[in-house]
Amino acid sequence: MAEEETPAPTYASVLKWLHDHKLYRTADSLLEEYDAAAEVEQLTSVVPVVPALSELHWQLNHRAAIIAIQCLPTAPYLLASDSAKNLKVWDISSGKLLSEDRTNNPFDGTILSIDSNPVHEDLILVGSMDNQHALLRFTASSDAPLELLHRWHIHQKYVVCIKWSPDGLRFATGSHDSTVTIFALNEERTDAEQLAQVQFGNAVECLLWKDNQTLVVSVREDASLVYLDTDTKERTLVSMSENGDPHVNFNCLSLTTSRDGHILVSTDMSLAYLFRPLLPIPTRRFNVESDKLSQPRAVFDKFDLLYLTSQDRTIRVFDVSTGAEIASLSGHNNVIRDVSIHPTLDLLASCSYDKTIRVYSRSAK
């Protein structure tokens, strides 16, 4: 009987083995060698110069501090929640307000998190300050564009993050009650079944689906990202500490993925780190202003330019391939609370406690 061939170790598996065995210096050397080779490859290829989304396209005004925004995947609409408990719908192709009816918000509390289904863009998830979350249906042609399909009161504290899986068939909610709840959408797309509720050791701050089965979870005062298999509930812990310490002096408050699957960790200590999935050593570090009271947010555009909010009320724009800051967007006069990219219209939206949404394009109107 022929012996089975042992697969050759991959770069990722070698790096993880080195880190698991606390050979950090060797891992750093390997990472530098890998990145140097990648940099040579980039320098020998033709890379077009792409302008940032930095030209003000619209300024949209609320009468209260704006908490969360979300662009729909293809339709030209943006949803925005504010501290007056409104959930407004904007047409960002025209700058017109489509709906500001208070009944758009199915809760008594302020909406803290919004996500649109990546496949069925009429389906919207919202999580609230009154510990609830809901599934809504969006219909642009209706007088009441947001219809409540189902509402859940499962969590005991704020629902601070809510995320659809990439295939749009599952979603997860994260709460300051230290739990994450997993749901599966029904065939009629009118309701969802609760699959599991998973307990963590502290408040859940943010969520990110790595794929349709694996959910990345960030927990306050935890040095590791948790990769949760939503089928088996198995957890894989990946340290965010560059030297393997069991503690870090920052909290991960936002998780964002680039087009090639890298994961950006935005922290409350004036740094954001770019990681390869399941690997503990960052490939890039980005400097912005943040502190323990900040709520950093970040998005990547279709060219993988990174837009990262800063506590100085600007949005810093970075070229991820070089790590260089290429632009800084100013104009808000209070804390920037959220950012969202419209992928088909190629627009960037930011919202702030200054009661405005600023919409940017790559060229002036």
Side-chain angles (χ1 to χ4, degrees):
M1 185 175 181
E3 287 187 15
E4 288 186 10
E5 266 189 45
T6 303
T10 64
Y11 165 79
S13 65
V14 171
L15 187 59
K16 189 173 188 307
W17 185 91
L18 289 170
H19 189 273
D20 290 345
H21 289 76
K22 302 189 183 304
L23 300 172
Y24 304 119
R25 190 164 295 175
T26 309
D28 277 338
S29 299
L30 179 62
L31 187 63
E32 286 173 9
E33 183 180 331
Y34 181 91
D35 284 341
E39 190 173 343
V40 168
E41 185 179 342
Q42 286 174 351
L43 290 173
T44 55
S45 62
V46 177
V47 180
V49 177
V50 178
L53 293 164
S54 58
E55 296 289 340
L56 185 62
H57 196 70
W58 304 111
Q59 178 168 300
L60 313 175
N61 299 310
H62 283 224
R63 291 184 291 274
I66 305 172
I67 307 299
I69 54 175
Q70 177 65 42
C71 292
L72 270 60
T74 59
Y77 302 113
L78 176 142
L79 276 65
S81 68
D82 63 35
S83 60
K85 304 177 184 178
N86 296 301
L87 179 58
K88 298 190 179 188
V89 183
W90 292 92
D91 182 335
I92 55 173
S93 65
S94 64
K96 300 289 180 62
L97 184 62
L98 187 67
S99 171
E100 61 175 336
D101 192 334
R102 172 68 180 80
T103 59
N104 286 338
N105 182 352
F107 314 118
D108 293 328
T110 298
I111 290 173
L112 299 175
S113 51
I114 310 170
D115 199 25
S116 56
N117 190 297
V119 179
H120 310 290
E121 68 171 35
D122 61 323
L123 297 180
I124 308 295
L125 293 170
V126 287
S128 82
M129 194 176 278
D130 62 2
N131 314 336
Q132 301 182 66
H133 65 281
L135 176 66
L136 310 177
R137 174 171 286 131
F138 173 75
T139 310
S141 58
S142 170
D143 291 336
L146 290 169
E147 172 195 0
L148 174 64
L149 297 178
H150 198 97
R151 179 170 51 200
W152 294 265
H153 196 163
I154 293 169
H155 291 289
Q156 302 304 308
K157 291 186 179 180
Y158 297 171
V159 180
V160 295
C161 44
I162 192 161
K163 290 289 180 183
W164 288 105
S165 60
D167 62 6
L169 297 179
R170 291 185 180 188
F171 64 87
T173 61
S175 170
H176 279 179
D177 67 5
S178 306
T179 66
V180 167
T181 309
I182 314 297
F183 293 83
L185 192 64
N186 68 1
E187 288 186 9
E188 296 78 19
R189 305 202 297 272
T190 56
D191 199 350
E193 175 192 1
Q194 181 179 333
L195 301 179
Q197 187 167 45
V198 183
Q199 183 74 43
F200 291 87
N202 209 330
V204 175
E205 288 293 351
C206 48
L207 304 172
L208 175 72
W209 289 89
K210 174 180 171 289
D211 50 48
N212 293 319
Q213 184 174 333
T214 308
L215 184 69
V216 187
V217 183
S218 167
V219 177
R220 181 164 284 275
E221 298 178 0
D222 195 320
S224 298
L225 292 178
V226 181
Y227 286 72
L228 175 68
D229 186 317
T230 57
D231 286 340
T232 66
K233 312 308 175 293
E234 181 182 350
R235 306 183 194 196
T236 301
L237 304 183
V238 178
S239 175
M240 292 183 285
S241 170
E242 295 185 67
N243 58 9
D245 288 343
H247 303 286
V248 290
N249 63 349
F250 61 80
N251 290 295
C252 168
L253 299 181
S254 175
L255 288 167
T256 317
T257 185
S258 64
R259 288 192 309 151
D260 62 1
H262 283 62
I263 293 174
L264 185 86
V265 170
S266 299
T267 77
D268 54 5
M269 286 296 288
S270 298
L271 277 171
Y273 299 93
L274 192 66
F275 291 91
R276 295 183 180 91
L278 290 167
L279 295 179
I281 300 173
T283 62
R284 294 281 183 208
R285 299 165 187 81
F286 305 97
N287 291 293
V288 292
E289 292 186 25
S290 60
D291 57 33
K292 293 298 182 181
L293 298 177
S294 64
Q295 290 287 328
R297 295 291 184 265
V299 286
F300 292 90
D301 71 12
K302 64 183 181 182
F303 298 107
D304 256 358
L305 295 181
L306 169 63
Y307 301 80
L308 186 58
T309 65
S310 179
Q311 193 73 341
D312 63 1
R313 304 171 183 177
T314 65
I315 300 172
R316 309 289 179 85
V317 187
F318 295 91
D319 181 338
V320 176
S321 65
T322 64
E325 183 178 331
I326 61 170
S328 178
L329 313 184
S330 59
H332 284 298
N333 57 35
N334 208 326
V335 172
I336 300 173
R337 188 57 175 74
D338 204 1
V339 286
S340 183
I341 287 278
H342 197 291
T344 52
L345 292 179
D346 199 24
L347 296 172
L348 166 72
S350 62
C351 71
S352 168
Y353 288 156
D354 69 6
K355 308 178 186 178
T356 69
I357 299 167
R358 294 173 68 85
V359 181
Y360 297 92
S361 61
R362 293 192 202 276
S363 58
K365 284 192 291 180

